[in-house]
């Protein structure tokens, strides 16, 4: 964390001149007016009330997770650094500016008035469809003992900010001042990965601007001793703020969790709770997520499935389409071309006769060019998925921490080395030799010796295999996210590797078999080798899906809720996928093993593989689409407008989504 803190740089605008800073106890000036004007970053009005000022009287050495609260001690950075808030290079007047601060929420006091939301949005000039702080609630019991607990939630400025580590552009910074986790929308290129990894739904992806923004802890107010806007606006005294672990006056608890709050072990959030009222054994969400919370013996609440819509199975094929469609095509395309290259290149290197014959033919390079085009199309779709596609190059900025940056590096390395392998494979290609001789009028061997070009091509081929393994590993790591339990399973690896084997063998094997058949060679060996790899890929994917079904069925977290949606909302589509995958596996086994012997002619076998190819591609598309649309993140319950996906669907159905003033904005980028 030291290096992350040392990189703290904040860019803000809108300079505001300040008149005077007051002591919260007697409202007397604590600095001279002329000094306050130079050093302040937020206008302190003469009418500010005492409750709006920070008043920390003590600072602990460490928080309950063992993290030092004094961030200067932790990082070794100078204490009197300027944050350059509002273009002002002066240092703020807050004596605790280098201590980790955090929110304190008293659930018993929250009346759900949304004043904190309004104050936050006004302070940050947010549009109607974004909210850095939001209020939701959980409820339980029955009349007359019905209880509701409101929850106000924003960014928790965690000790272990997964958004910072996940962001590929390094748009996030963990500051030594106040421990604020800040995000620069101008650096962001709108991939939305931080919104995946955050358990609290703090980063907000604006579909209009194509960038993420979030709560900034109101650091400009903190610099002059004022609490954040949301805290100052709270009418029920439910929100408070100060140095972390400092319990406000008239409070008796400082818990790390309340019903509906994701496990704090993921990020060590800097928020503490008080909730003293006795709550029912089961608390339900009022949004559309099929989740409820069950009280354990120790008083804590754990999530479990709430079968809100019964067990009726539906198709909902149209709802398979989502904002992540480009990622569906990108991941499948890259896995297919990586598998096709590995099959043909490594097959020759392992001296497998039929694959060596293909590599020596004039069709080897055209196949790789097709792979390069397919991969390029997949990468183009992935880039266009970004909110700001023209900033795609920023994806390499966080190679130290972000699995997404490393995936981008791996894919870029694969594409580059594949292109160079093709380039140096051209001199040995008969078609290219004839073309070169006809256009240039000389032999390609005069430009570069055949042995030299073959050696260089082989070196780039092995580098391409290395980048394949690197890219595939980090492609899976991108989805092993604790905040999304449905993805955080080995099934991601089995599906990605399985698709590489099955789709890659279909693509590469199709070219190999067609080339051998047109050349008059026996294709039986090629059918067996490629068919075995297709079978292995389907079996590996099926193995992962069976294990995933078993584990999600037994689980009681958000992954189980995703599986419930899979078995109900998309139940018929899910069953069709499973049936097609089983049929494809059985057909591939039969075609590969040749159990019917001579009864299967080459033409009949090719027809069978053609049918398997079509159904398998369709199955993979449905399976990958389900992968993206089903995931339920570990977010706080949201009951209002854009936070409630059920309301969003309703708004789209009746036309409210066409009215931006209601806060429902479609994905425009």
């Amino acid at each position: 964390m030291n290096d992350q803190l040392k990189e703290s740089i904040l860019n803000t605008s809108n300079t505001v001149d300040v008149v005077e800073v007051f002591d919260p106890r007697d409202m007397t000036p604590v600095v001279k007016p002329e000094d306050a004007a130079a050093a302040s970053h937020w206008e302190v009005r003469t009418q500010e009330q005492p409750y709006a000022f920070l008043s920390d009287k003590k600072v602990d050495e460490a928080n309950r997770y063992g993290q030092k609260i004094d961030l200067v001690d932790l990082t070794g950075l100078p204490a009197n650094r300027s944050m350059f808030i509002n273009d002002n290079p002066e240092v703020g007047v807050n004596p605790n500016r280098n201590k980790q601060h955090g929110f304190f929420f008293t659930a018993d006091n929250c009346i759900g008035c949304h004043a904190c939301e309004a104050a936050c949005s006004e302070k940050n000039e947010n549009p109607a469809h974004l909210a850095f702080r939001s209020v939701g609630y959980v409820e339980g019991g029955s009349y007359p003992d019905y209880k509701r607990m409101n929850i106000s939630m924003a960014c928790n400025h965690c000790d272990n900010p997964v958004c910072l580590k996940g962001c590929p552009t390094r748009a996030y910074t963990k500051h030594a001042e106040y421990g604020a986790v800040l995000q620069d929308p101008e650096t962001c290129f709108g991939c939305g990965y931080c919104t995946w990894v955050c358990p609290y739904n703090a980063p907000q992806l604006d579909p209009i601007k194509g960038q993420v923004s979030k709560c900034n802890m109101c650091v400009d107010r903190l610099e002059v001793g004022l609490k954040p806007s949301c805290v100052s606006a709270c009418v029920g005294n439910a929100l408070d703020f100060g140095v972390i672990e400092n319990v406000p006056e008239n409070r008796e608890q400082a818990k790390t969790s309340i019903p509906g709050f994701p496990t704090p072990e993921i990020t060590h959030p800097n928020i503490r709770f008080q909730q003293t009222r006795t709550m029912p054994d089961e608390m339900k969400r009022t949004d559309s997520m099929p989740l409820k919370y069950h009280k354990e013996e120790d008083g804590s609440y754990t999530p479990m499935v709430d079968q809100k819509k019964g067990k009726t199975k539906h198709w909902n094929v149209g709802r398979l389409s989502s904002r992540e469609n480009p990622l569906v095509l990108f991941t499948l395309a890259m896995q297919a071309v990586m598998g096709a290259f590995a099959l043909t290149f490594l097959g020759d290197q392992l001296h497998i006769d039929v694959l060596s014959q293909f590599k020596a033919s004039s069709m080897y390079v055209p196949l790789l060019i097709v792979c390069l085009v397919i991969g390029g199309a997949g990468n183009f779709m992935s880039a266009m998925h970004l909110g700001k596609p023209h900033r795609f190059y920023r994806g390499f900025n966080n190679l130290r921490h972000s699995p997404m940056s490393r995936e981008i590096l791996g894919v870029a390395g694969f594409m580059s080395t594949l292109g160079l392998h093709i380039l140096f494979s051209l001199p040995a290609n008969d078609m290219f030799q004839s073309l070169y001789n006809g256009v240039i009028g000389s032999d390609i061997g005069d430009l570069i010796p055949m042995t030299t070009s073959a050696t260089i091509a082989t070196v780039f081929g092995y580098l391409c295999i290395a980048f394949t393994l690197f890219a595939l590993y980090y492609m899976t790591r991108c989805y092993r996210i604790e905040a999304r339990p449905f993805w955080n399973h080995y099934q991601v690896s089995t599906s990605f590797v399985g698709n590489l084997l099955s789709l890659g063998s279909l693509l590469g094997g199709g070219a190999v078999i067609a080339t051998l058949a047109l050349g008059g060679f026996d294709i039986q060996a090629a059918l067996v080798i490629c068919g075995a790899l297709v079978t292995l890929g389907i079996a590996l994917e099926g193995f992962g899906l069976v294990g995933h079904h078993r584990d999600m069925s037994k689980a009681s977290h958000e992954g189980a809720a995703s599986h419930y949606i899979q078995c109900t909302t998309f139940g018929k589509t899910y069953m069709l996928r499973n049936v097609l995958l089983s049929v494809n596996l059985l057909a591939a086994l039969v075609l590969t093993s040749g159990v019917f012997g001579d009864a299967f002619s080459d033409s009949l076998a090719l027809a069978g593989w053609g049918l398997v190819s079509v159904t398998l591609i369709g199955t993979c598309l449905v399976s990958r689409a389900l992968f993206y649309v089903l995931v339920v993140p570990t977010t706080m319950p949201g009951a209002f407008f854009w936070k409630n996906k059920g309301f969003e669907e309703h708004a789209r159905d009746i036309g409210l989504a066409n009215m931006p003033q209601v806060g429902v904005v479609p994905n425009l980028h």
Side-chain angles (χ1 to χ4, degrees):
M1 179 177 291
N2 293 15
D3 291 336
Q4 298 163 17
L5 288 166
K6 290 175 182 177
E7 294 167 358
S8 56
I9 298 173
L10 179 64
N11 296 312
T12 57
S13 57
N14 303 323
T15 302
V16 181
D17 291 329
V18 182
V19 184
E20 209 161 3
V21 178
F22 295 90
D23 187 297
R25 291 165 291 187
D26 55 10
M27 298 300 289
T28 58
V30 296
V31 294
K32 296 178 181 179
E34 59 269 21
D35 295 333
S40 297
H41 308 275
W42 180 261
E43 183 177 4
V44 184
R45 303 168 302 176
T46 56
Q47 301 88 0
E48 293 283 3
Q49 298 299 313
Y51 60 74
F53 288 84
L54 294 164
S55 58
D56 291 295
K57 298 179 177 62
K58 72 179 184 70
V59 177
D60 293 337
E61 183 177 345
N63 66 17
R64 65 191 61 201
Y65 301 111
Q67 177 78 40
K68 281 189 174 183
I69 290 177
D70 190 319
L71 300 174
V72 169
D73 287 347
L74 179 67
T75 63
L77 296 172
N80 294 322
R81 301 186 330 142
S82 170
M83 291 185 72
F84 285 90
I85 299 294
N86 298 339
D87 298 323
N88 192 329
E90 298 299 322
V91 177
V93 299
N94 188 339
N96 289 322
R97 70 191 304 267
N98 293 302
K99 309 299 191 294
Q100 176 68 62
H101 285 58
F103 290 98
F104 190 99
F105 178 68
T106 305
D108 301 323
N109 292 2
C110 182
I111 61 175
C113 66
H114 303 271
C116 55
E117 286 187 31
C120 175
S121 291
E122 181 184 19
K123 163 72 164 57
N124 294 287
E125 299 181 349
N126 287 336
H129 57 279
L130 293 184
F132 295 165
R133 176 169 290 279
S134 61
V135 178
Y137 54 84
V138 291
E139 56 190 12
S142 57
Y143 181 82
D145 191 24
Y146 171 84
K147 294 182 179 180
R148 170 182 290 177
M149 187 186 74
N150 297 311
I151 302 172
S152 176
M153 187 58 54
C155 177
N156 296 313
H157 303 279
C158 310
D159 288 343
N160 178 33
V162 290
C163 53
L164 183 151
K165 294 180 178 179
C167 175
T169 66
R170 290 181 67 188
Y172 286 82
T173 306
K174 173 77 172 175
H175 273 233
E177 292 81 14
Y178 312 105
V181 177
L182 304 180
Q183 192 266 356
D184 180 15
E186 297 307 313
T187 301
C188 171
F189 64 8
C191 68
Y193 189 66
C194 57
T195 68
W196 287 4
V197 299
C198 175
Y200 315 112
N201 203 32
Q204 301 295 311
L205 177 60
D206 189 335
I208 296 177
K209 291 185 177 180
Q211 63 188 28
V212 170
S213 53
K214 62 179 282 294
C215 161
N216 62 10
M217 201 190 263
C218 287
V219 289
D220 48 350
R221 291 173 59 89
L222 300 183
E223 286 283 76
V224 294
L226 289 171
K227 296 177 182 178
S229 295
C230 56
V231 177
S232 298
C234 179
V235 300
N237 196 22
L239 272 176
D240 212 327
F241 186 85
V243 176
I244 198 63
E245 305 299 355
N246 283 3
V247 180
E249 294 181 3
N250 303 318
R251 301 293 191 274
E252 58 188 76
Q253 293 180 337
K255 301 191 293 186
T256 59
S257 184
I258 54 175
F261 190 74
T263 172
E265 295 305 317
I266 299 177
T267 65
H268 292 175
N270 285 301
I271 185 171
R272 301 294 180 261
F273 299 100
Q274 173 166 312
Q275 189 268 309
T276 57
R277 287 191 302 164
T278 302
M279 305 302 290
D281 289 342
E282 282 193 356
M283 302 293 291
K284 296 184 178 181
R285 297 172 67 118
T286 57
D287 57 17
S288 59
M289 289 187 184
L291 279 171
K292 57 185 176 182
Y293 303 95
H294 179 74
K295 183 187 287 187
E296 303 295 338
E297 293 182 359
D298 62 358
S300 64
Y301 283 80
T302 56
M304 60 187 300
V305 176
D306 181 11
Q307 297 184 1
K308 291 183 176 180
K309 298 183 179 180
K311 296 184 177 181
T312 305
K313 294 178 171 59
H314 305 277
W315 285 104
N316 281 316
V317 175
R319 291 177 60 182
L320 290 176
S321 179
S322 71
R323 177 184 176 271
E324 316 302 343
N325 285 345
L327 297 183
V328 172
L329 299 176
F330 163 72
T331 54
L332 291 176
M334 290 310 304
Q335 288 155 21
V337 300
M338 287 174 176
F341 173 75
L343 169 69
T344 52
F345 176 75
L346 290 180
D348 172 65
Q349 296 300 307
L350 295 173
H351 305 294
I352 299 174
D353 289 341
V354 290
L355 297 175
S356 295
Q357 288 175 348
F358 173 74
K359 188 174 184 300
S361 73
S362 59
M363 294 306 298
Y364 175 69
V365 170
L367 168 65
L368 297 189
I369 292 175
V370 169
C371 289
L372 196 65
V373 171
I374 294 174
N379 278 276
F380 176 77
M381 288 183 289
S382 177
M384 295 307 295
H385 171 263
L386 301 174
K388 297 178 179 178
H390 58 288
R391 294 181 176 173
F392 70 93
Y393 58 89
R394 295 184 179 177
F396 299 100
N397 287 359
N398 197 11
L399 292 172
R400 183 178 179 183
H401 297 292
S402 174
M404 186 175 175
S405 279
R406 296 174 184 177
E407 178 204 23
I408 294 170
L409 175 64
V411 171
F414 170 82
M415 295 294 290
S416 300
T417 51
L418 177 61
L420 291 169
H421 176 76
I422 293 172
L423 178 65
F424 286 98
S425 296
L426 286 174
N429 184 270
D430 293 339
M431 288 191 298
F432 180 76
Q433 289 176 4
S434 300
L435 180 63
Y436 185 88
N437 190 31
V439 174
I440 305 299
S442 63
D443 188 77
I444 184 65
D446 297 337
L447 180 64
I448 181 171
M450 292 287 187
T451 54
T452 302
S453 63
T455 300
I456 297 175
T458 300
V459 170
F460 280 119
Y462 278 112
L463 285 175
C464 197
I465 293 297
F467 276 116
T468 295
L469 297 175
F470 184 87
L472 189 64
Y473 175 75
Y474 282 106
M475 194 178 288
T476 61
R477 293 305 307 169
C478 282
Y479 298 95
R480 297 301 300 270
I481 299 171
E482 290 186 87
R484 301 194 172 218
F486 188 73
W487 284 350
N488 194 23
H489 191 272
Y490 66 81
Q491 180 264 333
V492 176
S493 299
T494 57
S495 287
F496 284 13
V497 176
N499 288 155
L500 180 142
L501 291 172
S502 59
L503 296 179
S505 297
L506 286 179
L507 177 59
V512 170
I513 291 168
T515 300
L516 294 178
L518 291 173
F521 296 100
D522 184 15
I523 63 172
Q524 281 300 318
L527 282 171
V528 170
I529 293 170
C530 297
L533 290 173
V534 172
T535 305
L536 177 61
I538 298 173
L540 186 61
E541 182 178 10
F543 170 78
L545 290 172
V546 169
H548 190 254
H549 170 80
R550 180 194 64 235
D551 294 340
M552 294 300 110
S553 297
K554 294 178 180 178
S556 60
H557 48 49
E558 287 79 3
S562 294
H563 187 58
Y564 166 74
I565 296 173
Q566 180 171 246
C567 295
T568 54
T569 304
F570 298 96
K572 294 182 179 180
T573 304
Y574 171 60
M575 289 303 300
L576 177 63
R577 190 279 306 273
N578 294 342
V579 170
L580 287 176
L581 198 64
S582 301
V583 169
N584 285 332
L585 177 60
L586 180 61
L589 277 171
V590 170
L591 292 169
T592 302
S593 62
V595 292
F596 295 105
D598 295 337
F600 261 45
S601 64
D602 287 352
S603 58
L604 191 58
L606 290 174
W609 278 116
L611 183 60
V612 168
S613 300
V614 172
T615 56
L616 182 59
I617 292 172
T619 303
C620 289
L621 286 169
V622 171
S623 189
R624 192 60 53 84
L626 284 171
F627 175 81
Y628 283 105
V629 302
L630 286 171
V631 65
V632 172
T634 60
T635 54
M636 295 298 297
F640 303 97
F641 304 115
W642 68 275
K643 288 282 188 179
N644 188 335
K645 292 301 178 184
F647 175 82
E648 185 174 323
E649 293 169 12
H650 169 71
R652 292 179 188 276
D653 290 340
I654 66 173
L656 284 176
N658 298 322
M659 302 168 62
Q661 61 269 30
V662 303
V664 180
V665 177
N667 295 325
L668 299 183
H669 68 279

